Amino acid sequence: ALPAPRKCKLAALQTALSSGVPRVLVLAWVHRLRRDGAKLMFLELRDGSGYVQAVLSGTLCQTLDALELNREAAVEVWGSLHADSRAKGGVELRADFWRVLGASPAEIEMRVTHESGPEVLLNQ
C-alpha cells in the first residue's frame, strides 16, 4: 500500500521534497497541458501559491477524464516529488492517482489564452 499523502500548497513542495515527504496531495487548476503520445501527459498546475509540473503516465493518461481534460479544470493529484531542473520550481510531481474535481469546456481553448487577464478569466 502507498503511504498516506500530505496535503500541500504548491509553494511548499520544495520544502516537502527536502524534508523527505514520501507522497503528497495537491489541489490545483490545470494551467497548461501537453500530451506526449498515448501514455504520457505533462500538466502544469497552479493553486495561487505557485506552479508545479505533474507527470501522468501509463493508464493514468488513458482514462476518459484524461482524454477530455482541458486547461482551467480543477484537479486533485497524488504522487511523489522528484527534483528536476527542467521543471518550473525545480520540482516535478509524478502522479500515482488523480481525479477531476471540476471540468472545463473544450471551448476554453479558444476563449482563454495565456495572455488573458482577470476580466476574461472571471467571466468564464
Side-chain angles (χ1 to χ4, degrees):
L2 294 169
R6 179 186 294 176
K7 191 174 176 181
C8 292
K9 290 279 192 184
L10 300 184
L13 293 180
Q14 185 66 50
T15 305
L17 176 64
S18 12
S19 303
V21 173
R23 192 165 178 244
V24 296
L25 162 63
V26 300
L27 288 83
W29 291 278
V30 177
H31 186 66
R32 291 192 177 104
L33 70 114
R34 182 171 57 90
R35 292 174 173 87
D36 191 3
K39 295 189 176 187
L40 194 60
M41 284 177 67
F42 298 93
L43 307 179
E44 186 178 336
L45 304 176
R46 73 172 197 288
D47 72 352
S49 73
Y51 294 84
V52 71
Q53 176 175 281
V55 180
L56 280 60
S57 60
T59 57
L60 290 179
C61 51
Q62 295 176 338
T63 64
L64 182 60
D65 279 343
L67 296 173
E68 293 179 347
L69 187 65
N70 295 302
R71 288 186 302 123
E72 301 305 321
V75 296
E76 283 183 312
V77 181
W78 288 257
S80 55
L81 299 172
H82 300 271
D84 189 334
S85 60
R86 299 168 296 174
K88 207 175 246 191
V91 177
E92 181 176 83
L93 173 58
R94 294 185 189 158
D96 57 55
F97 182 77
W98 76 286
R99 67 181 175 185
V100 175
L101 297 174
S104 64
E107 298 82 38
I108 197 109
E109 300 298 333
M110 292 179 278
R111 283 192 232 152
V112 178
T113 67
H114 298 298
E115 292 82 31
S116 295
E119 69 282 352
V120 174
L121 296 173
L122 292 172
N123 286 321
Q124 300 307 313

